[in-house]
Amino acid sequence: MAGAYSMTKAAVEFFSDALRHEMHKWGVNVVIVEPASFATATGIVVEKVYNKYMEDLRNNMEEAVKGDYGMEYFDLKVKQLSAMIDNCHSKDPSPVVAVMVDAVTLTTPSHRYLVGSSFEDYVTWMWLGYFPTRWTDSTVLT
């Protein structure tokens, strides 16, 4: 369920990196602010809406999909996604706002700001691509 989210997040990050390189000769700074674990702070995930969406998805799923994947798999993925949402670390968006202010007001801002990411998050998501697939799959897919 996180595939589309991860793909679009990576696309925006890579586009921003390319834009930073292309705009450099005109003196334009492109800064990437990457907030992590702030879904509850932004109100992006509203429990009532999420639960209704999952219920509708479950009730309107085609029989072929139910047969191919099984409802146990669907329930597991819903449980994993709910746990991920529940584990959002911060309900206070002010650290993100503070970094955005710095990015706009500093004369030499950093190229990238990671806000709310722990070292564990960084290692898990940024460096896993450098390890053998067999090893990462065995740790991430459990």
Side-chain angles (χ1 to χ4, degrees), residues 14 122-136:
F14 296 144
Y122 179 76
V123 169
T124 302
W125 300 114
M126 302 300 271
W127 287 98
L128 278 179
Y130 295 101
F131 293 107
T133 303
R134 184 175 299 157
W135 182 79
T136 58

Side-chain angles (χ1 to χ4, degrees), residues 72-91:
E72 296 82 18
Y73 180 78
F74 176 81
D75 292 338
L76 172 68
K77 289 300 175 182
V78 168
K79 184 177 177 181
Q80 288 173 340
L81 186 58
S82 295
M84 186 175 75
I85 292 166
D86 290 342
N87 286 331
C88 287
H89 303 296
S90 179
K91 296 183 184 332

Side-chain angles (χ1 to χ4, degrees), residues 43-122:
I44 290 173
V45 179
V46 178
E47 186 176 0
K48 184 177 177 182
V49 173
Y50 169 79
N51 290 338
K52 171 91 170 87
Y53 174 76
M54 288 301 161
E55 181 182 334
D56 289 348
L57 191 60
R58 177 181 247 290
N59 293 336
N60 296 311
M61 192 178 302
E62 294 180 18
E63 291 301 320
V65 174
K66 288 180 185 178
D68 288 344
Y69 290 95
M71 293 313 294
E72 296 82 18
Y73 180 78
F74 176 81
D75 292 338
L76 172 68
K77 289 300 175 182
V78 168
K79 184 177 177 181
Q80 288 173 340
L81 186 58
S82 295
M84 186 175 75
I85 292 166
D86 290 342
N87 286 331
C88 287
H89 303 296
S90 179
K91 296 183 184 332
D92 177 18
S94 61
V96 178
V97 174
V99 166
M100 293 172 74
V101 169
D102 283 351
V104 172
T105 58
L106 293 174
T107 55
T108 56
S110 295
H111 297 303
R112 176 175 278 102
Y113 292 91
L114 301 175
V115 186
S117 293
S118 67
F119 180 73
E120 180 182 325
D121 292 338
Y122 179 76

Side-chain angles (χ1 to χ4, degrees), residues 19 25 31 33 39 41 52 64 91 111:
L19 189 61
K25 73 179 186 178
V31 177
V33 177
K52 171 91 170 87
K91 296 183 184 332
H111 297 303

